[in-house]
Amino acid sequence: MSTPIKLHLHQPPPSTTMSTERPITPARKQFSHQSSSSKKGPFYAGHKLERVQHYGYQKETHQKTDFENADNLFEFLGTPTFGELADVNFSATVPRLDFLRKANSMSKSIKEEYFKEPLNRLVVFKDTESKVPRGHVTDTECRPDITAAFENDFGGDDTTFWPCIRMAGGWASEGSTSENQETKAISYLHYLLLARPDLYVAQGMFASEDNMMFLVGIGGFAARHLRIGWNDKKLSMLLYAFIYRIYDPCHFADSSYKLDPIADEDNPPTWTITIGVTSQVGGVITERPLPCPNFLPLYASSPFETRTHVLTTKGEGVDVYGEKLTVLKDQVCRIRTRLDEHEILELVHKSKRVPGVVEAVYHKTIELPSQLGDLGVGRVKHRHGLRQLGRPFASIPTVKEMLQVAFDLVEVLRFLKAKRNILHRDISVGNVMYAPPSEDKQDPDTSTQDYEVLFFSDFFLSDSPRRPHTTSVLLVDFNHAEHLTSKIDGQRVERTGTPLFMARAVERGGPVDIPNPRIRFLDAIPLAPTKYATHYRNTRLKKFPAEELNLSPEAVDSDRPPWRHELDHDIESVFWLMLYWAMTAQPKDGTAEQIPRAAWCNLTGEYADRQSLLRGLTLGEPAERTFHSAFQPVLDLFQQLAGILSSIDRHWLHASEKRNDPEYFAEAFQRLILQFLLKHDNDSFMTQKIDRNPREDEKRDTSGKRASNTAERSDSQAKRRRTTQESQTDRNSEN
């Protein structure tokens, strides 16, 4: 074994304390991996990774230009220049245990020389191939072969929490190809960036018999790497620099994040995030730091694209400018391609608060570190402080409440388009939240809200609604929203959405094909329930009379303006959202019934698959057992909704046609949903509680086998990858 090496720097280190360090964690109790693995995150769903949020490796997204040489990587790391590093040479091939010994020897030398203070703990490298780190925001079971963390962050079985991991690495399996190795290595960076909202750059390494691969995952951009042979003279220098940067993340980390001390092994760690709030005294504007403690990660996605982290307080919230801040959201965005989310939300709530839409109480634009060089050009991080918190759409407990949320969501979308000229453009299971008034995440002060046209389902279902203008829907994530009259530099707003919930035309980037002439039709707009008809007799009923309309040849206009994303496409996304909930719902403590493979593949497939699913519903020929037998009555509603969607795409209709209106789908949906709610109000299936675990599809592996350490296999969803952000698919909440 080589003797410990003293390092000599040609210049002093830039920092002697770790910018993301946290207070010393108390000594840990002994625990077993088996007992801790059953504790899931606050929004756990067993199907999350498999069904929507895949790690779908795509080289053009995950990997950019490799480092040209060791000097290029050393420059990126930005560490001081090390002196002579004798006696730390590797042989041509290196066993795993030998590597771990030498890496730990280097780490000890670095700490003793440059991080001697008691608060600076020892970084250790461990063989963790058979250990699953705990507390990942996505509940992944990905397990790195090699993990680096501070010594007392490891438990008795050598596992740790994902937010405590400082470096995640792998060791090549026998016979693995070079491409498979890269994919596996980048998957570790993918999950590490999701687990560490504080990191701008995640560090990783991947070893094989012939070489070591150093990797850096740059949040919001891509991964870069350098392969270097074991006997290369520069290997020791790079490994020292890599470990040094673990001790002192410097520009690799956002210093406003601090990991809170971990006192409970059964729950994931929380963060304290310090924001800057301004005040004005005597005409002088000053900014003071305001710690936001005990914030728990709820959601993270797209680490190499529009990187997003959402955290919520475990307490009552933080007072900011007279409002309670309960949610913090960090997101990396391109600069000024459109109005940013904060500006959109200001327009939404410009005069009075709009119920059903999340409110921002804080915003700051954070420049990315200059050390990222050209990679940082054109992008910034937006930090949003939000007032309301909801639960995932998939956690809605009953059919009745799901339908009410869907009705109210359509109402909100209509209001945003009609009164604010705003399209959300990304209706998905992660962006539509469930916030019952009893949990009040919304404003009880009705005098501050805008009721110009907003009347929610409770108003039409109850003879004396307690709060007729209050809703359980909470629409969030306006990062892809478009203000139709605000274009930046005349740029076209890109096509976007979440694949599983994206309208068919949006997926295609153009209108749905005109049906075969023999089956062209326009479904009749349904009759309106009495109270709805009375309330809107001079407005919506006049605009959309319940009458049969024939589609004459003259109605089709081939000379149409360019296609664009419109309100009716967001309404179609509501349909896919409802269908997803209904297909995966099963009664609490009831008999398990699997989802037919054909139905599930059509729902999660591409354009032609979803067309087939719609056609089957419209013609009354859906796959058997599409819905759980306990909820079979909902089939009637989905057949009617599918009939509306299967009508000829309004893009092809002449401008004079009554159905050529973006609100046509919205009006039809609200009437049909309300009719169904009234008709089945006393039926037991409407209030039957759903199970916290969703239905499985027929061919899903339920053996409990761990997720692959390589990329979870890309399926048709990954091929239809959205422009910027994946979705969250959580049904369960332990709140």
Side-chain angles (χ1 to χ4, degrees), residues 20 150 199 210 240 242 276 288 292 418 443 488 541 574 632 639 669 697 708 714 722:
T20 57
F150 290 119
L199 291 183
D210 304 322
Y240 268 99
F242 225 65
R288 64 178 177 86
C292 301
D443 191 2
I488 306 300
L541 261 68
V574 176
Q632 189 63 21
Q639 287 177 329
F669 270 44
D697 64 89
S708 171
S714 297
R722 59 180 287 178

Side-chain angles (χ1 to χ4, degrees), residues 55-59 62-63 179 182-183 186-187 711-712 714 718:
Y55 166 63
Y57 176 75
Q58 294 184 335
K59 194 164 186 175
H62 290 89
Q63 190 173 332
E179 185 171 354
E182 290 181 17
T183 302
I186 292 173
S187 73
E712 275 93 348
S714 297

Side-chain angles (χ1 to χ4, degrees), residues 625-642:
R625 297 177 289 107
T626 295
F627 306 105
H628 192 284
S629 58
F631 301 123
Q632 189 63 21
V634 301
L635 174 60
D636 180 58
L637 174 61
F638 281 102
Q639 287 177 329
Q640 295 180 73
L641 295 175

Side-chain angles (χ1 to χ4, degrees), residues 25 113 161 336 358 415 589 630 632 719:
T25 299
E113 185 74 10
F161 285 104
R336 304 303 291 176
V358 72
F415 175 90
D589 302 324
Q632 189 63 21
K719 294 175 185 175

Side-chain angles (χ1 to χ4, degrees), residues 105-397:
S105 176
M106 291 180 181
S107 177
K108 185 176 180 181
S109 297
I110 291 172
K111 182 185 184 305
E112 290 176 349
E113 185 74 10
Y114 304 108
F115 302 100
K116 300 176 182 178
E117 292 80 1
L119 289 179
N120 294 334
R121 299 170 291 153
L122 177 66
V123 171
V124 296
F125 290 73
K126 287 183 178 285
D127 183 340
T128 54
E129 181 181 14
S130 60
K131 312 291 174 53
V132 180
R134 294 159 289 126
H136 198 281
V137 65
T138 71
D139 297 298
T140 179
E141 292 184 354
C142 171
R143 56 192 192 200
D145 300 329
I146 298 172
T147 300
F150 290 119
E151 187 172 30
N152 63 336
D153 281 336
F154 283 104
D157 62 350
D158 285 347
T159 65
T160 187
F161 285 104
W162 269 100
C164 297
I165 294 178
R166 306 286 153 166
M167 191 283 304
W171 207 272
S173 304
E174 186 176 353
S176 64
T177 66
S178 175
E179 185 171 354
N180 284 342
Q181 292 175 23
E182 290 181 17
T183 302
K184 183 177 180 180
I186 292 173
S187 73
Y188 298 144
L189 297 179
H190 173 99
Y191 288 116
L192 187 54
L193 283 170
L194 291 177
R196 295 282 306 271
D198 61 315
L199 291 183
Y200 290 118
V201 179
Q203 294 175 245
M205 53 180 64
F206 197 87
S208 67
E209 290 184 358
D210 304 322
N211 58 64
M212 166 68 76
M213 185 196 306
F214 290 96
L215 298 106
V216 291
I218 306 161
F221 300 96
R224 302 182 69 189
H225 75 256
L226 175 73
R227 291 181 184 271
I228 186 168
W230 286 113
N231 55 0
D232 192 301
K233 293 182 179 179
K234 292 188 176 181
L235 175 60
S236 294
M237 176 188 72
L238 284 175
L239 189 54
Y240 268 99
F242 225 65
I243 297 173
Y244 182 94
R245 189 50 74 215
I246 293 174
Y247 275 100
D248 178 17
C250 191
H251 59 281
F252 278 18
D254 181 343
S255 60
S256 66
Y257 279 89
K258 302 292 179 185
L259 198 62
D260 296 326
I262 300 171
D264 183 357
E265 296 292 353
D266 291 330
N267 291 292
T270 59
W271 297 85
T272 292
I273 303 130
T274 300
I275 63 174
V277 294
T278 59
S279 59
Q280 184 171 342
V281 179
V284 178
I285 298 176
T286 60
E287 182 176 276
R288 64 178 177 86
L290 177 64
C292 301
N294 299 316
F295 269 71
L296 177 71
L298 290 185
Y299 171 63
S301 72
S302 305
F304 297 119
E305 300 176 81
T306 306
R307 186 186 180 193
T308 304
H309 289 272
V310 179
L311 305 93
T312 184
T313 178
K314 295 181 74 173
E316 294 298 318
V318 180
D319 289 319
V320 178
Y321 305 127
E323 299 279 6
K324 285 288 186 184
L325 185 156
T326 62
V327 177
L328 276 168
K329 172 184 175 182
D330 277 359
Q331 191 165 56
V332 175
C333 302
R334 294 184 180 92
I335 297 175
R336 304 303 291 176
T337 55
R338 57 181 177 270
L339 294 183
D340 64 48
E341 183 173 12
H342 181 72
E343 293 169 315
I344 291 287
L345 290 176
E346 284 188 334
L347 288 171
V348 170
H349 303 289
K350 62 180 181 180
S351 55
K352 291 185 176 181
R353 292 173 173 172
V354 176
V357 179
V358 72
E359 300 167 37
V361 300
Y362 175 84
H363 173 257
K364 185 174 183 178
T365 301
I366 301 172
E367 299 293 332
L368 299 180
S370 60
Q371 291 90 336
L372 294 180
D374 293 341
L375 291 175
V377 175
R379 301 196 187 197
V380 294
K381 180 162 74 173
H382 288 284
R383 176 164 293 168
H384 303 276
L386 306 174
R387 191 171 67 85
Q388 301 104 316
L389 172 66
R391 288 183 278 159
F393 182 88
S395 70
I396 299 176

Side-chain angles (χ1 to χ4, degrees), residues 352-353 443-451:
K352 291 185 176 181
R353 292 173 173 172
D443 191 2
D445 181 6
T446 57
S447 65
T448 67
Q449 295 185 349
D450 194 330
Y451 303 133

